[in-house]
Amino acid sequence: MSTTRKRVYGYLAEFKSASALYKAAEKVRDAGFRKWDCHSPYPIHGLDGAMGLKRSILPWLVFFGGATGTLTGFLLAYTTQVGIYPTVVQAKPVNIFTVPAFFPVMFELTILFSGFTVLFGLLALMKLPRLNHPLFASRQFHRTTDDAFFIAIEARDPKFSPDGTKALLEQIGGANIELIEEED
Amino acid sequence: MSTASESSTRQGPKLPVLKREKLILNDRSYHWITERICGVIENRQPLLWWLLFIPSSIIAAIGVGGGLFHLVSTGVGVWGNTNRIMWGWPIVNFVFWIGIGHAGTLISAILFLTRQNWRTSINRAAEAMTIFAVCCAGIFPAFHVGRVWMAWFLAPIPNANAIWQNFKSPLLWDVFAVSTYFTVSLIFWYLGMVPDLATIRDRCKPGLRKLLYGLFALGWRGGNRQWSHYEMAYLLLAALSTPLVLSVHSVVSFDFATSVVPGWHTTIFPPYFVAGAIFGGFAMVLTIMIPARFIYGLQDMITMKHIDNMAKIILLTGTIVGYAYLMELFVAFYSGAKFEMDAFWYRISGPYNWAYFWMMGLNVLSPQIFWFKKCRENLWVVMAVAMCVNVGMWFERFVIIVTTLARMWLPGDWKTYSPSGQDQMLFVGTIGMFLTLFLLFLRFLPCINIAEVKWTLPESDPHHDDHHDHPDHGVVEEAAYQHELQSPAAKG
């Protein structure tokens, strides 16, 4: 009597090892799918290539984050020490030539800002945190953080078809194929 | 991604290669690793855990809680710091604890960049140790400012007096270095733990536990579209933490080296402090990991190979520290500078020379025993040396700070120093606090990096079973270790 409508999220198929997952990923990539992912308990070396993923753009974000940190450190030290509150200590100059004394602070703020950019940039790129996900409704998906290897192909993918995708997963060696549904 | 090197066959004869010792013993499976590490959290804690936890937490409560309450309500006069020996025990303890932390970052960052895969079994606990050691360290300078409620004056924010901090002072650099170190280490530690928190989440029954682990796991699904960014983030954090860890103790050493005090004003200080920090930190890693390994049965993951490697690092850094001590002495006497010579002569022959000889003996001589493989393999010996180094590194900071300040330029400044009971109570309290935090970490968080340890298994390589495609196929492996050479199986 439930009135909630279910929508198909996609198929989940298990593979027996890292190498089986790797070979299957190459075939799914070659079949032209876009909305799919490989799930494994640890990062698998070379799987990015087998899935056709591009290199992460995170280093660029961190570069700009770090540069912001350097600039912040410089401006903070320079405006306060030379601009608004010139302090003569140890007979050091209060002009541009005093900047080498600010290097440690500039360096530390570069690292600090880069560190925060890694944290928040990573979360944004991974689209996390999120409280729930259709895959968590699966009866076997919890094993992916233990010892199981899965491929999930989403129904949003234009190449997805209920029968064809299932047949593909079977053909490339997928076991325990499960249709995942989400609440609409 | 298929490149020429993957498909080509290697030219020339296949020379035999030396066997690599396995990082995980007894051919354990992925599931066994999950069970064993999560079991530490999920099973009842052994009696020994309670026997350590209860006294540690009482010591922490009395030493740090009570000690600081008494300090703040009475004033910093309760400490033994006197005029001229203003820094006294609080700064000795600060430098001691901040140094302990360095091994954690070395293991997690520098050994990652240099592809030392043995780090995977010990990096989580070592990083936790870093965080807790920096927490202990932070107490001392914060209260050493005298009026702790004014500690916010350290931060460069506009205040009512329109006075800004002196950005040319190493003391302010220290504020930036230590706070950045703590923050970045925390980010590194937490991000490294996210996949493992997801592992625990997926094993919990629905309830509060699952909710809490789930919240901190951020909804991790182990998808390669996540791993791809995650690994990049990990690499970036390692690359950022490497110069950071070298900078932190360098900046701490600038507190001394940029002053014009005989005995401190030397250029050798930054590398000498960094080597000493790594040295002391590894000793602390061994001190806490050897018992933890036994209590929770982690011998297949933290193997004798790991302990051997750490013992070798202690030998190396201990020898560097010994070189620095001797070079410091040599340069003092070679310089011909009267005050510099007197400062060092005072260390050797003055009233604190017992501290100097403890420092030399414990830090320089005791690790030399690790030249012998038998000693690196005997855990009692390893533990004894680690304890020697823990104590010796504390004496090093005592020698540097107290003996130098006790004998400055003018005879009118010369004083002797002895710590008060409050000093001792607070220091013992921080040891209790460190142990309490570490025991809570063992109780609630995965103490070994589950995902990374799985990654070191041979079958984690996707080309593990493509024997014939692999360029190393058919290469003869030769025994590399004594026990393999002696065993009959290796001869065949």
Side-chain angles (χ1 to χ4, degrees), chain A residues 17-19 22-23 29 34-51 53-59 62 73 76-77 80-81 84-85 87-90 92-94 98 100-102 104-105 107-112 114-116 118-119 122-123 125-126 128-131 133 135-136 141-147 149, chain B residues 1 6 30-32 34-35 156 161-169 172-173 176-181 183-184 187 190-191 194-195 198-203 215 217-234 236-237 239-241 243-244 247-248 251 254 258 450-452 454-455 459-466:
Chain A
S17 68
S19 54
Y22 183 90
K23 291 189 186 85
R29 173 197 66 190
R34 290 263 173 260
K35 305 275 183 207
W36 64 290
D37 206 351
C38 296
H39 297 268
S40 57
Y42 56 85
I44 295 174
H45 185 73
L47 196 57
D48 291 358
M51 283 180 70
L53 297 186
K54 289 200 196 76
R55 189 182 146 91
S56 173
I57 60 157
L58 192 59
V62 174
L76 179 68
T80 58
Q81 303 299 292
I84 59 180
Y85 195 84
T87 333
V88 181
V89 274
Q90 298 164 354
K92 283 179 186 142
V94 280
T98 195
F102 304 153
V105 169
F107 171 77
E108 300 298 343
L109 286 186
T110 307
I111 301 286
L112 184 68
S114 304
F116 276 117
V118 171
L119 176 65
L122 175 68
L123 292 180
L125 288 172
M126 297 196 306
L128 292 180
R130 55 180 294 170
L131 292 173
H133 191 274
L135 282 174
F136 291 144
F141 186 70
H142 64 94
R143 284 173 41 236
T144 194
T145 54
D146 179 11
D147 61 353
F149 302 87
Chain B
M1 284 292 282
E6 273 179 34
Y30 298 130
H31 185 64
W32 184 88
T34 313
E35 285 288 328
N161 303 324
I163 295 172
W164 288 88
Q165 288 74 17
N166 174 17
F167 277 78
K168 297 163 200 166
S169 163
L172 189 74
W173 302 345
F176 278 84
V178 173
S179 52
T180 300
Y181 184 51
T183 314
V184 173
I187 293 173
Y190 174 63
L191 278 184
V194 166
T199 302
I200 302 171
R201 171 201 67 197
D202 290 345
R203 293 165 56 89
L215 279 177
L218 304 171
W220 177 262
R221 298 188 301 283
N224 196 51
R225 288 172 200 274
Q226 291 177 339
W227 279 122
S228 176
H229 294 301
Y230 179 88
E231 284 203 289
M232 183 59 82
Y234 206 85
L236 284 165
L237 281 176
L240 291 168
S241 300
L244 176 65
S247 83
V248 174
V251 168
F254 290 163
T258 58
I450 305 174
E452 282 192 16
K454 286 175 185 166
W455 178 81
E459 62 265 36
S460 74
D461 178 0
H463 306 295
H464 171 64
D465 45 9
D466 306 344

Side-chain angles (χ1 to χ4, degrees), chain B residues 115-224:
Chain B
R115 299 286 184 268
Q116 297 296 305
N117 289 342
W118 59 276
R119 64 181 272 288
T120 53
S121 299
I122 49 169
N123 73 338
R124 172 71 44 73
E127 284 168 38
M129 186 197 76
T130 297
I131 309 272
F132 305 148
V134 177
C135 289
C136 291
I139 291 174
F140 292 100
F143 285 86
H144 189 260
V145 298
R147 295 178 182 147
V148 70
W149 53 95
M150 301 296 234
W152 63 274
F153 265 43
L154 294 167
I157 42 177
N159 63 49
N161 303 324
I163 295 172
W164 288 88
Q165 288 74 17
N166 174 17
F167 277 78
K168 297 163 200 166
S169 163
L171 296 176
L172 189 74
W173 302 345
D174 224 10
V175 173
F176 278 84
V178 173
S179 52
T180 300
Y181 184 51
F182 181 74
T183 314
V184 173
S185 298
L186 197 64
I187 293 173
F188 204 0
W189 186 53
Y190 174 63
L191 278 184
M193 208 149 44
V194 166
D196 294 355
L197 292 172
T199 302
I200 302 171
R201 171 201 67 197
D202 290 345
R203 293 165 56 89
C204 287
K205 293 187 191 74
L208 182 65
R209 249 174 92 83
K210 192 177 181 85
L211 183 74
L212 285 175
Y213 281 112
L215 279 177
F216 283 101
L218 304 171
W220 177 262
R221 298 188 301 283
N224 196 51

Side-chain angles (χ1 to χ4, degrees), chain A residues 7-13 28 32-39 51 126-127 130 133-135 141 150-162 164-166 168-169 178-182, chain B residues 221 223-226:
Chain A
R7 190 155 62 85
V8 172
Y9 170 76
Y11 275 115
L12 184 71
V28 177
F33 284 95
R34 290 263 173 260
K35 305 275 183 207
W36 64 290
D37 206 351
C38 296
H39 297 268
M51 283 180 70
M126 297 196 306
K127 300 188 182 68
R130 55 180 294 170
H133 191 274
L135 282 174
F141 186 70
F150 292 102
I151 284 182
I153 301 182
E154 291 182 38
R156 291 188 292 154
D157 194 293
K159 295 236 174 212
F160 184 89
S161 69
T165 307
K166 188 174 184 187
L168 173 78
L169 286 169
E178 185 183 356
L179 185 72
I180 308 287
E181 289 178 321
E182 59 181 323
Chain B
R221 298 188 301 283
N224 196 51
R225 288 172 200 274
Q226 291 177 339

